[in-house]
PDB file of all heavy atoms in Angstrom:
ATOM      1  N   GLU R   1     114.254 134.596-135.198  1.00 96.00           N
ATOM      2  CA  GLU R   1     114.899 134.190-133.946  1.00 96.00           C
ATOM      3  C   GLU R   1     114.816 132.673-133.749  1.00 96.00           C
ATOM      4  O   GLU R   1     115.750 132.053-133.228  1.00 96.00           O
ATOM      5  CB  GLU R   1     114.259 134.919-132.770  1.00 96.00           C
ATOM      6  CG  GLU R   1     114.502 136.422-132.791  1.00 96.00           C
ATOM      7  CD  GLU R   1     113.892 137.125-131.590  1.00 96.00           C
ATOM      8  OE1 GLU R   1     113.449 136.424-130.646  1.00 96.00           O
ATOM      9  OE2 GLU R   1     113.857 138.369-131.589  1.00 96.00           O
ATOM     10  N   ALA R   2     113.702 132.070-134.179  1.00 97.00           N
ATOM     11  CA  ALA R   2     113.586 130.614-134.080  1.00 97.00           C
ATOM     12  C   ALA R   2     114.609 129.925-134.979  1.00 97.00           C
ATOM     13  O   ALA R   2     115.118 128.855-134.646  1.00 97.00           O
ATOM     14  CB  ALA R   2     112.167 130.181-134.443  1.00 97.00           C
ATOM     15  N   GLN R   3     114.929 130.533-136.127  1.00 97.00           N
ATOM     16  CA  GLN R   3     115.960 129.975-137.007  1.00 97.00           C
ATOM     17  C   GLN R   3     117.307 129.886-136.303  1.00 97.00           C
ATOM     18  O   GLN R   3     118.119 129.005-136.603  1.00 97.00           O
ATOM     19  CB  GLN R   3     116.105 130.840-138.266  1.00 97.00           C
ATOM     20  CG  GLN R   3     114.946 130.717-139.234  1.00 97.00           C
ATOM     21  CD  GLN R   3     115.075 131.663-140.415  1.00 97.00           C
ATOM     22  OE1 GLN R   3     115.909 132.576-140.405  1.00 97.00           O
ATOM     23  NE2 GLN R   3     114.242 131.466-141.424  1.00 97.00           N
ATOM     24  N   GLN R   4     117.531 130.762-135.368  1.00 95.00           N
ATOM     25  CA  GLN R   4     118.794 130.791-134.625  1.00 95.00           C
ATOM     26  C   GLN R   4     118.735 129.942-133.354  1.00 95.00           C
ATOM     27  O   GLN R   4     119.692 129.919-132.579  1.00 95.00           O
ATOM     28  CB  GLN R   4     119.134 132.234-134.249  1.00 95.00           C
ATOM     29  CG  GLN R   4     119.259 133.169-135.441  1.00 95.00           C
ATOM     30  CD  GLN R   4     119.284 134.641-135.018  1.00 95.00           C
ATOM     31  OE1 GLN R   4     119.251 134.949-133.827  1.00 95.00           O
ATOM     32  NE2 GLN R   4     119.337 135.526-135.994  1.00 95.00           N
ATOM     33  N   GLY R   5     117.620 129.252-133.133  1.00 94.00           N
ATOM     34  CA  GLY R   5     117.470 128.427-131.947  1.00 94.00           C
ATOM     35  C   GLY R   5     117.073 129.188-130.704  1.00 94.00           C
ATOM     36  O   GLY R   5     117.108 128.636-129.600  1.00 94.00           O
ATOM     37  N   ARG R   6     116.668 130.445-130.859  1.00 94.00           N
ATOM     38  CA  ARG R   6     116.329 131.275-129.699  1.00 94.00           C
ATOM     39  C   ARG R   6     114.846 131.268-129.377  1.00 94.00           C
ATOM     40  O   ARG R   6     114.428 131.760-128.324  1.00 94.00           O
ATOM     41  CB  ARG R   6     116.810 132.704-129.949  1.00 94.00           C
ATOM     42  CG  ARG R   6     118.346 132.813-130.034  1.00 94.00           C
ATOM     43  CD  ARG R   6     118.798 134.139-130.608  1.00 94.00           C
ATOM     44  NE  ARG R   6     118.120 135.249-129.967  1.00 94.00           N
ATOM     45  CZ  ARG R   6     117.815 136.390-130.585  1.00 94.00           C
ATOM     46  NH1 ARG R   6     118.102 136.549-131.874  1.00 94.00           N
ATOM     47  NH2 ARG R   6     117.217 137.354-129.941  1.00 94.00           N
ATOM     48  N   ARG R   7     114.021 130.742-130.254  1.00 94.00           N
ATOM     49  CA  ARG R   7     112.598 130.542-130.010  1.00 94.00           C
ATOM     50  C   ARG R   7     112.206 129.196-130.599  1.00 94.00           C
ATOM     51  O   ARG R   7     112.967 128.573-131.330  1.00 94.00           O
ATOM     52  CB  ARG R   7     111.752 131.661-130.635  1.00 94.00           C
ATOM     53  CG  ARG R   7     111.922 133.007-129.974  1.00 94.00           C
ATOM     54  CD  ARG R   7     111.000 134.058-130.598  1.00 94.00           C
ATOM     55  NE  ARG R   7     111.235 135.358-129.998  1.00 94.00           N
ATOM     56  CZ  ARG R   7     110.595 135.831-128.931  1.00 94.00           C
ATOM     57  NH1 ARG R   7     109.659 135.090-128.361  1.00 94.00           N
ATOM     58  NH2 ARG R   7     110.873 137.012-128.435  1.00 94.00           N
ATOM     59  N   PHE R   8     110.971 128.766-130.309  1.00 96.00           N
ATOM     60  CA  PHE R   8     110.474 127.498-130.816  1.00 96.00           C
ATOM     61  C   PHE R   8     109.046 127.704-131.301  1.00 96.00           C
ATOM     62  O   PHE R   8     108.236 128.349-130.632  1.00 96.00           O
ATOM     63  CB  PHE R   8     110.511 126.436-129.716  1.00 96.00           C
ATOM     64  CG  PHE R   8     110.334 125.026-130.223  1.00 96.00           C
ATOM     65  CD1 PHE R   8     111.386 124.343-130.805  1.00 96.00           C
ATOM     66  CD2 PHE R   8     109.105 124.381-130.108  1.00 96.00           C
ATOM     67  CE1 PHE R   8     111.227 123.041-131.269  1.00 96.00           C
ATOM     68  CE2 PHE R   8     108.935 123.094-130.563  1.00 96.00           C
ATOM     69  CZ  PHE R   8     110.002 122.405-131.149  1.00 96.00           C
ATOM     70  N   LEU R   9     108.745 127.165-132.490  1.00 97.00           N
ATOM     71  CA  LEU R   9     107.424 127.317-133.093  1.00 97.00           C
ATOM     72  C   LEU R   9     106.549 126.123-132.745  1.00 97.00           C
ATOM     73  O   LEU R   9     106.925 124.972-132.995  1.00 97.00           O
ATOM     74  CB  LEU R   9     107.553 127.440-134.610  1.00 97.00           C
ATOM     75  CG  LEU R   9     106.246 127.395-135.419  1.00 97.00           C
ATOM     76  CD1 LEU R   9     105.404 128.636-135.137  1.00 97.00           C
ATOM     77  CD2 LEU R   9     106.532 127.260-136.906  1.00 97.00           C
ATOM     78  N   LEU R  10     105.388 126.395-132.195  1.00 97.00           N
ATOM     79  CA  LEU R  10     104.357 125.375-131.987  1.00 97.00           C
ATOM     80  C   LEU R  10     103.192 125.719-132.898  1.00 97.00           C
ATOM     81  O   LEU R  10     102.503 126.716-132.692  1.00 97.00           O
ATOM     82  CB  LEU R  10     103.899 125.349-130.523  1.00 97.00           C
ATOM     83  CG  LEU R  10     102.694 124.446-130.236  1.00 97.00           C
ATOM     84  CD1 LEU R  10     103.012 122.982-130.553  1.00 97.00           C
ATOM     85  CD2 LEU R  10     102.239 124.601-128.782  1.00 97.00           C
ATOM     86  N   GLN R  11     102.990 124.894-133.924  1.00 98.00           N
ATOM     87  CA  GLN R  11     101.934 125.119-134.904  1.00 98.00           C
ATOM     88  C   GLN R  11     100.984 123.933-134.843  1.00 98.00           C
ATOM     89  O   GLN R  11     101.408 122.780-134.962  1.00 98.00           O
ATOM     90  CB  GLN R  11     102.553 125.246-136.303  1.00 98.00           C
ATOM     91  CG  GLN R  11     101.567 125.630-137.399  1.00 98.00           C
ATOM     92  CD  GLN R  11     102.274 125.872-138.724  1.00 98.00           C
ATOM     93  OE1 GLN R  11     103.474 125.645-138.842  1.00 98.00           O
ATOM     94  NE2 GLN R  11     101.548 126.327-139.715  1.00 98.00           N
ATOM     95  N   GLY R  12      99.701 124.202-134.641  1.00 96.00           N
ATOM     96  CA  GLY R  12      98.788 123.075-134.512  1.00 96.00           C
ATOM     97  C   GLY R  12      97.341 123.480-134.646  1.00 96.00           C
ATOM     98  O   GLY R  12      96.963 124.644-134.497  1.00 96.00           O
ATOM     99  N   GLY R  13      96.528 122.483-134.929  1.00 94.00           N
ATOM    100  CA  GLY R  13      95.092 122.693-135.047  1.00 94.00           C
ATOM    101  C   GLY R  13      94.471 121.623-135.909  1.00 94.00           C
ATOM    102  O   GLY R  13      95.068 120.589-136.200  1.00 94.00           O
ATOM    103  N   ASP R  14      93.256 121.891-136.331  1.00 91.00           N
ATOM    104  CA  ASP R  14      92.484 120.906-137.084  1.00 91.00           C
ATOM    105  C   ASP R  14      93.060 120.624-138.452  1.00 91.00           C
ATOM    106  O   ASP R  14      93.642 121.504-139.093  1.00 91.00           O
ATOM    107  CB  ASP R  14      91.042 121.392-137.249  1.00 91.00           C
ATOM    108  CG  ASP R  14      90.130 120.835-136.174  1.00 91.00           C
ATOM    109  OD1 ASP R  14      90.241 119.636-135.883  1.00 91.00           O
ATOM    110  OD2 ASP R  14      89.320 121.595-135.629  1.00 91.00           O
ATOM    111  N   CYS R  15      92.838 119.382-138.929  1.00 90.00           N
ATOM    112  CA  CYS R  15      93.237 119.054-140.296  1.00 90.00           C
ATOM    113  C   CYS R  15      92.408 119.878-141.264  1.00 90.00           C
ATOM    114  O   CYS R  15      92.926 120.386-142.260  1.00 90.00           O
ATOM    115  CB  CYS R  15      93.054 117.565-140.563  1.00 90.00           C
ATOM    116  SG  CYS R  15      91.363 116.987-140.424  1.00 90.00           S
ATOM    117  N   ALA R  16      91.117 120.021-140.989  1.00 90.00           N
ATOM    118  CA  ALA R  16      90.242 120.844-141.830  1.00 90.00           C
ATOM    119  C   ALA R  16      89.171 121.462-140.942  1.00 90.00           C
ATOM    120  O   ALA R  16      88.415 120.741-140.293  1.00 90.00           O
ATOM    121  CB  ALA R  16      89.598 120.010-142.930  1.00 90.00           C
ATOM    122  N   GLU R  17      89.121 122.773-140.904  1.00 94.00           N
ATOM    123  CA  GLU R  17      88.054 123.450-140.181  1.00 94.00           C
ATOM    124  C   GLU R  17      86.739 123.308-140.949  1.00 94.00           C
ATOM    125  O   GLU R  17      86.726 123.217-142.175  1.00 94.00           O
ATOM    126  CB  GLU R  17      88.348 124.939-140.043  1.00 94.00           C
ATOM    127  CG  GLU R  17      89.457 125.293-139.090  1.00 94.00           C
ATOM    128  CD  GLU R  17      89.664 126.799-139.043  1.00 94.00           C
ATOM    129  OE1 GLU R  17      90.432 127.303-139.873  1.00 94.00           O
ATOM    130  OE2 GLU R  17      89.057 127.438-138.181  1.00 94.00           O
ATOM    131  N   SER R  18      85.656 123.315-140.234  1.00 94.00           N
ATOM    132  CA  SER R  18      84.346 123.355-140.876  1.00 94.00           C
ATOM    133  C   SER R  18      83.620 124.610-140.411  1.00 94.00           C
ATOM    134  O   SER R  18      83.889 125.150-139.331  1.00 94.00           O
ATOM    135  CB  SER R  18      83.524 122.111-140.539  1.00 94.00           C
ATOM    136  OG  SER R  18      83.100 122.132-139.188  1.00 94.00           O
ATOM    137  N   LEU R  19      82.694 125.079-141.231  1.00 96.00           N
ATOM    138  CA  LEU R  19      81.925 126.265-140.854  1.00 96.00           C
ATOM    139  C   LEU R  19      81.140 126.024-139.571  1.00 96.00           C
ATOM    140  O   LEU R  19      80.952 126.941-138.767  1.00 96.00           O
ATOM    141  CB  LEU R  19      80.979 126.644-141.994  1.00 96.00           C
ATOM    142  CG  LEU R  19      81.648 127.015-143.328  1.00 96.00           C
ATOM    143  CD1 LEU R  19      80.593 127.378-144.369  1.00 96.00           C
ATOM    144  CD2 LEU R  19      82.620 128.172-143.146  1.00 96.00           C
ATOM    145  N   SER R  20      80.719 124.788-139.348  1.00 93.00           N
ATOM    146  CA  SER R  20      79.932 124.484-138.148  1.00 93.00           C
ATOM    147  C   SER R  20      80.772 124.511-136.884  1.00 93.00           C
ATOM    148  O   SER R  20      80.238 124.518-135.774  1.00 93.00           O
ATOM    149  CB  SER R  20      79.268 123.114-138.298  1.00 93.00           C
ATOM    150  OG  SER R  20      80.239 122.100-138.453  1.00 93.00           O
ATOM    151  N   ASP R  21      82.112 124.523-137.023  1.00 90.00           N
ATOM    152  CA  ASP R  21      82.997 124.573-135.859  1.00 90.00           C
ATOM    153  C   ASP R  21      83.210 125.990-135.338  1.00 90.00           C
ATOM    154  O   ASP R  21      83.963 126.181-134.374  1.00 90.00           O
ATOM    155  CB  ASP R  21      84.362 123.968-136.197  1.00 90.00           C
ATOM    156  CG  ASP R  21      84.323 122.452-136.235  1.00 90.00           C
ATOM    157  OD1 ASP R  21      83.323 121.881-135.767  1.00 90.00           O
ATOM    158  OD2 ASP R  21      85.286 121.846-136.734  1.00 90.00           O
ATOM    159  N   CYS R  22      82.597 126.966-135.958  1.00 95.00           N
ATOM    160  CA  CYS R  22      82.741 128.351-135.496  1.00 95.00           C
ATOM    161  C   CYS R  22      81.827 128.557-134.282  1.00 95.00           C
ATOM    162  O   CYS R  22      80.796 129.223-134.345  1.00 95.00           O
ATOM    163  CB  CYS R  22      82.394 129.322-136.627  1.00 95.00           C
ATOM    164  SG  CYS R  22      82.757 131.046-136.247  1.00 95.00           S
ATOM    165  N   ARG R  23      82.241 127.918-133.171  1.00 95.00           N
ATOM    166  CA  ARG R  23      81.489 127.954-131.912  1.00 95.00           C
ATOM    167  C   ARG R  23      82.444 128.275-130.784  1.00 95.00           C
ATOM    168  O   ARG R  23      83.611 127.860-130.816  1.00 95.00           O
ATOM    169  CB  ARG R  23      80.828 126.596-131.658  1.00 95.00           C
ATOM    170  CG  ARG R  23      79.738 126.243-132.633  1.00 95.00           C
ATOM    171  CD  ARG R  23      79.359 124.771-132.565  1.00 95.00           C
ATOM    172  NE  ARG R  23      79.575 124.153-131.260  1.00 95.00           N
ATOM    173  CZ  ARG R  23      79.586 122.835-131.066  1.00 95.00           C
ATOM    174  NH1 ARG R  23      79.437 122.017-132.082  1.00 95.00           N
ATOM    175  NH2 ARG R  23      79.774 122.336-129.863  1.00 95.00           N
ATOM    176  N   PRO R  24      81.976 129.003-129.771  1.00 93.00           N
ATOM    177  CA  PRO R  24      82.898 129.424-128.707  1.00 93.00           C
ATOM    178  C   PRO R  24      83.563 128.271-127.978  1.00 93.00           C
ATOM    179  O   PRO R  24      84.741 128.348-127.628  1.00 93.00           O
ATOM    180  CB  PRO R  24      82.022 130.264-127.773  1.00 93.00           C
ATOM    181  CG  PRO R  24      80.613 129.920-128.131  1.00 93.00           C
ATOM    182  CD  PRO R  24      80.625 129.557-129.574  1.00 93.00           C
ATOM    183  N   ASP R  25      82.837 127.169-127.735  1.00 90.00           N
ATOM    184  CA  ASP R  25      83.443 126.067-126.988  1.00 90.00           C
ATOM    185  C   ASP R  25      84.551 125.388-127.785  1.00 90.00           C
ATOM    186  O   ASP R  25      85.617 125.070-127.250  1.00 90.00           O
ATOM    187  CB  ASP R  25      82.370 125.052-126.576  1.00 90.00           C
ATOM    188  CG  ASP R  25      81.558 124.524-127.757  1.00 90.00           C
ATOM    189  OD1 ASP R  25      81.443 125.247-128.771  1.00 90.00           O
ATOM    190  OD2 ASP R  25      81.030 123.397-127.662  1.00 90.00           O
ATOM    191  N   ILE R  26      84.329 125.192-129.075  1.00 91.00           N
ATOM    192  CA  ILE R  26      85.348 124.535-129.905  1.00 91.00           C
ATOM    193  C   ILE R  26      86.562 125.427-130.068  1.00 91.00           C
ATOM    194  O   ILE R  26      87.712 124.977-129.947  1.00 91.00           O
ATOM    195  CB  ILE R  26      84.752 124.157-131.276  1.00 91.00           C
ATOM    196  CG1 ILE R  26      83.721 123.031-131.093  1.00 91.00           C
ATOM    197  CG2 ILE R  26      85.842 123.739-132.254  1.00 91.00           C
ATOM    198  CD1 ILE R  26      83.033 122.616-132.372  1.00 91.00           C
ATOM    199  N   ILE R  27      86.337 126.713-130.314  1.00 91.00           N
ATOM    200  CA  ILE R  27      87.462 127.647-130.466  1.00 91.00           C
ATOM    201  C   ILE R  27      88.254 127.744-129.165  1.00 91.00           C
ATOM    202  O   ILE R  27      89.488 127.737-129.164  1.00 91.00           O
ATOM    203  CB  ILE R  27      86.962 129.030-130.909  1.00 91.00           C
ATOM    204  CG1 ILE R  27      86.295 128.944-132.288  1.00 91.00           C
ATOM    205  CG2 ILE R  27      88.109 130.043-130.946  1.00 91.00           C
ATOM    206  CD1 ILE R  27      85.549 130.197-132.693  1.00 91.00           C
ATOM    207  N   THR R  28      87.552 127.805-128.045  1.00 87.00           N
ATOM    208  CA  THR R  28      88.220 127.897-126.746  1.00 87.00           C
ATOM    209  C   THR R  28      89.083 126.662-126.496  1.00 87.00           C
ATOM    210  O   THR R  28      90.228 126.768-126.031  1.00 87.00           O
ATOM    211  CB  THR R  28      87.189 128.050-125.626  1.00 87.00           C
ATOM    212  OG1 THR R  28      86.434 129.247-125.832  1.00 87.00           O
ATOM    213  CG2 THR R  28      87.870 128.134-124.266  1.00 87.00           C
ATOM    214  N   ASN R  29      88.547 125.484-126.799  1.00 86.00           N
ATOM    215  CA  ASN R  29      89.318 124.262-126.573  1.00 86.00           C
ATOM    216  C   ASN R  29      90.550 124.199-127.469  1.00 86.00           C
ATOM    217  O   ASN R  29      91.600 123.687-127.062  1.00 86.00           O
ATOM    218  CB  ASN R  29      88.440 123.034-126.807  1.00 86.00           C
ATOM    219  CG  ASN R  29      87.487 122.790-125.644  1.00 86.00           C
ATOM    220  OD1 ASN R  29      87.708 123.286-124.545  1.00 86.00           O
ATOM    221  ND2 ASN R  29      86.436 122.041-125.881  1.00 86.00           N
ATOM    222  N   ARG R  30      90.450 124.709-128.687  1.00 88.00           N
ATOM    223  CA  ARG R  30      91.626 124.750-129.566  1.00 88.00           C
ATOM    224  C   ARG R  30      92.700 125.651-128.976  1.00 88.00           C
ATOM    225  O   ARG R  30      93.897 125.320-128.982  1.00 88.00           O
ATOM    226  CB  ARG R  30      91.228 125.260-130.951  1.00 88.00           C
ATOM    227  CG  ARG R  30      90.464 124.264-131.802  1.00 88.00           C
ATOM    228  CD  ARG R  30      89.978 124.921-133.065  1.00 88.00           C
ATOM    229  NE  ARG R  30      89.228 124.000-133.916  1.00 88.00           N
ATOM    230  CZ  ARG R  30      88.447 124.387-134.913  1.00 88.00           C
ATOM    231  NH1 ARG R  30      88.294 125.674-135.172  1.00 88.00           N
ATOM    232  NH2 ARG R  30      87.811 123.490-135.649  1.00 88.00           N
ATOM    233  N   GLN R  31      92.279 126.800-128.498  1.00 86.00           N
ATOM    234  CA  GLN R  31      93.255 127.724-127.897  1.00 86.00           C
ATOM    235  C   GLN R  31      93.849 127.152-126.624  1.00 86.00           C
ATOM    236  O   GLN R  31      95.045 127.312-126.352  1.00 86.00           O
ATOM    237  CB  GLN R  31      92.572 129.067-127.602  1.00 86.00           C
ATOM    238  CG  GLN R  31      92.036 129.787-128.819  1.00 86.00           C
ATOM    239  CD  GLN R  31      93.136 130.059-129.814  1.00 86.00           C
ATOM    240  OE1 GLN R  31      93.345 129.278-130.739  1.00 86.00           O
ATOM    241  NE2 GLN R  31      93.854 131.136-129.625  1.00 86.00           N
ATOM    242  N   LYS R  32      93.005 126.482-125.859  1.00 83.00           N
ATOM    243  CA  LYS R  32      93.442 125.941-124.582  1.00 83.00           C
ATOM    244  C   LYS R  32      94.571 124.929-124.745  1.00 83.00           C
ATOM    245  O   LYS R  32      95.584 124.990-124.038  1.00 83.00           O
ATOM    246  CB  LYS R  32      92.234 125.293-123.907  1.00 83.00           C
ATOM    247  CG  LYS R  32      92.514 124.329-122.761  1.00 83.00           C
ATOM    248  CD  LYS R  32      91.180 123.780-122.290  1.00 83.00           C
ATOM    249  CE  LYS R  32      91.322 122.436-121.629  1.00 83.00           C
ATOM    250  NZ  LYS R  32      90.030 121.872-121.226  1.00 83.00           N
ATOM    251  N   ILE R  33      94.456 124.007-125.716  1.00 86.00           N
ATOM    252  CA  ILE R  33      95.485 122.987-125.848  1.00 86.00           C
ATOM    253  C   ILE R  33      96.786 123.592-126.385  1.00 86.00           C
ATOM    254  O   ILE R  33      97.874 123.216-125.953  1.00 86.00           O
ATOM    255  CB  ILE R  33      94.993 121.799-126.711  1.00 86.00           C
ATOM    256  CG1 ILE R  33      96.032 120.688-126.728  1.00 86.00           C
ATOM    257  CG2 ILE R  33      94.659 122.230-128.124  1.00 86.00           C
ATOM    258  CD1 ILE R  33      96.404 120.157-125.362  1.00 86.00           C
ATOM    259  N   ILE R  34      96.694 124.556-127.304  1.00 90.00           N
ATOM    260  CA  ILE R  34      97.909 125.220-127.791  1.00 90.00           C
ATOM    261  C   ILE R  34      98.597 125.957-126.648  1.00 90.00           C
ATOM    262  O   ILE R  34      99.828 125.922-126.497  1.00 90.00           O
ATOM    263  CB  ILE R  34      97.582 126.183-128.944  1.00 90.00           C
ATOM    264  CG1 ILE R  34      97.073 125.417-130.174  1.00 90.00           C
ATOM    265  CG2 ILE R  34      98.808 127.015-129.316  1.00 90.00           C
ATOM    266  CD1 ILE R  34      98.101 124.551-130.841  1.00 90.00           C
ATOM    267  N   LEU R  35      97.809 126.647-125.826  1.00 84.00           N
ATOM    268  CA  LEU R  35      98.360 127.364-124.677  1.00 84.00           C
ATOM    269  C   LEU R  35      99.073 126.419-123.729  1.00 84.00           C
ATOM    270  O   LEU R  35     100.221 126.640-123.334  1.00 84.00           O
ATOM    271  CB  LEU R  35      97.240 128.097-123.936  1.00 84.00           C
ATOM    272  CG  LEU R  35      97.573 128.551-122.514  1.00 84.00           C
ATOM    273  CD1 LEU R  35      98.610 129.661-122.541  1.00 84.00           C
ATOM    274  CD2 LEU R  35      96.320 128.979-121.779  1.00 84.00           C
ATOM    275  N   GLN R  36      98.401 125.335-123.365  1.00 81.00           N
ATOM    276  CA  GLN R  36      98.979 124.424-122.386  1.00 81.00           C
ATOM    277  C   GLN R  36     100.239 123.756-122.933  1.00 81.00           C
ATOM    278  O   GLN R  36     101.239 123.621-122.224  1.00 81.00           O
ATOM    279  CB  GLN R  36      97.940 123.385-121.984  1.00 81.00           C
ATOM    280  CG  GLN R  36      96.791 123.985-121.195  1.00 81.00           C
ATOM    281  CD  GLN R  36      95.803 122.943-120.716  1.00 81.00           C
ATOM    282  OE1 GLN R  36      95.847 121.794-121.128  1.00 81.00           O
ATOM    283  NE2 GLN R  36      94.897 123.341-119.838  1.00 81.00           N
ATOM    284  N   MET R  37     100.192 123.340-124.183  1.00 88.00           N
ATOM    285  CA  MET R  37     101.385 122.738-124.778  1.00 88.00           C
ATOM    286  C   MET R  37     102.543 123.727-124.798  1.00 88.00           C
ATOM    287  O   MET R  37     103.695 123.362-124.512  1.00 88.00           O
ATOM    288  CB  MET R  37     101.072 122.267-126.205  1.00 88.00           C
ATOM    289  CG  MET R  37     100.126 121.096-126.296  1.00 88.00           C
ATOM    290  SD  MET R  37      99.765 120.646-128.017  1.00 88.00           S
ATOM    291  CE  MET R  37     101.313 119.865-128.507  1.00 88.00           C
ATOM    292  N   SER R  38     102.254 124.974-125.117  1.00 87.00           N
ATOM    293  CA  SER R  38     103.326 125.970-125.197  1.00 87.00           C
ATOM    294  C   SER R  38     103.971 126.201-123.831  1.00 87.00           C
ATOM    295  O   SER R  38     105.186 126.362-123.738  1.00 87.00           O
ATOM    296  CB  SER R  38     102.789 127.283-125.769  1.00 87.00           C
ATOM    297  OG  SER R  38     101.934 127.953-124.866  1.00 87.00           O
ATOM    298  N   LEU R  39     103.183 126.203-122.761  1.00 81.00           N
ATOM    299  CA  LEU R  39     103.749 126.408-121.428  1.00 81.00           C
ATOM    300  C   LEU R  39     104.657 125.247-121.029  1.00 81.00           C
ATOM    301  O   LEU R  39     105.718 125.449-120.429  1.00 81.00           O
ATOM    302  CB  LEU R  39     102.624 126.578-120.403  1.00 81.00           C
ATOM    303  CG  LEU R  39     101.834 127.893-120.499  1.00 81.00           C
ATOM    304  CD1 LEU R  39     100.661 127.876-119.541  1.00 81.00           C
ATOM    305  CD2 LEU R  39     102.737 129.082-120.213  1.00 81.00           C
ATOM    306  N   VAL R  40     104.251 124.032-121.371  1.00 84.00           N
ATOM    307  CA  VAL R  40     105.102 122.871-121.087  1.00 84.00           C
ATOM    308  C   VAL R  40     106.408 122.957-121.876  1.00 84.00           C
ATOM    309  O   VAL R  40     107.493 122.692-121.349  1.00 84.00           O
ATOM    310  CB  VAL R  40     104.345 121.568-121.411  1.00 84.00           C
ATOM    311  CG1 VAL R  40     105.279 120.363-121.279  1.00 84.00           C
ATOM    312  CG2 VAL R  40     103.145 121.398-120.480  1.00 84.00           C
TER     313      VAL R  40
END
């Protein structure tokens, strides 16, 4: 559907995840910015 212009893809995140980033605060903040950008 995005190929037809009916949806839009927002793809984003870290250049490289690290094992030490598997923490609730970091994961939550990643989700939060994707969510907010998508709503805008």
Side-chain angles (χ1 to χ4, degrees):
E1 294 182 10
Q3 288 176 347
Q4 302 167 2
R6 295 166 48 212
R7 291 183 183 269
F8 194 79
L9 171 67
L10 172 62
Q11 186 174 6
D14 265 316
C15 62
E17 289 180 273
S18 71
L19 298 180
S20 61
D21 283 347
C22 188
R23 293 166 28 195
D25 55 333
I26 291 178
I27 297 169
T28 299
N29 284 341
R30 286 173 180 164
Q31 298 302 94
K32 163 182 155 183
I33 185 58
I34 295 292
L35 163 69
Q36 292 184 349
M37 291 178 73
S38 71
L39 289 174
V40 173

